[in-house]
Amino acid sequence: MWEVLRRRPEGLKFRRQHPFPGCTVDFYCPAAKLVIEVDGDSHSMGDAPERDSARDQWLAGQGITVVRNDAKDVMRNLDGVVLSILEASRR
């Protein structure tokens, strides 16, 4: 996914592994205030869902939208995932 996002689709600059207080997100677009997360199987195990939810709520409180994508979807349908990211950036 980074190979696509680093090319600045629709002129949007994304940062990879961007730090926020208490966490690091997979990708962040400051202009759109948009976080992109790619979730593998581990995100459904143990207390990960609760931690992800708490982090998403904190980010939302900062005015940041979080879009979560399943890693399998990224591997199977990268173009579709990128289109959904670009749609989210317009909101």
Side-chain angles (χ1 to χ4, degrees):
M1 180 179 288
W2 178 236
E3 291 302 317
V4 174
L5 295 180
R6 71 187 294 189
R7 293 186 202 132
R8 297 184 180 203
E10 294 187 4
L12 295 170
K13 180 179 180 180
F14 288 86
R15 298 175 182 163
R16 183 176 62 167
Q17 295 296 302
H18 183 75
F20 281 98
C23 68
T24 300
V25 299
D26 293 334
F27 304 100
Y28 179 56
C29 177
K33 295 190 90 171
L34 181 65
V35 163
I36 308 302
E37 289 288 280
V38 179
D39 295 343
D41 291 337
S42 65
H43 283 265
S44 63
M45 298 177 174
D47 68 344
E50 292 82 14
R51 284 183 298 146
D52 287 346
S53 178
R55 184 171 71 168
D56 292 355
Q57 288 176 11
W58 182 85
L59 288 165
Q62 309 305 305
I64 298 168
T65 301
V66 178
V67 174
R68 291 191 168 275
N69 297 281
D70 189 282
K72 292 175 187 170
D73 292 336
V74 172
M75 297 301 291
R76 293 180 191 147
N77 183 17
L78 180 59
D79 291 340
V81 169
V82 171
L83 284 175
S84 71
I85 291 168
L86 295 176
E87 287 176 19
S89 74
R90 296 182 200 115
R91 295 182 200 147

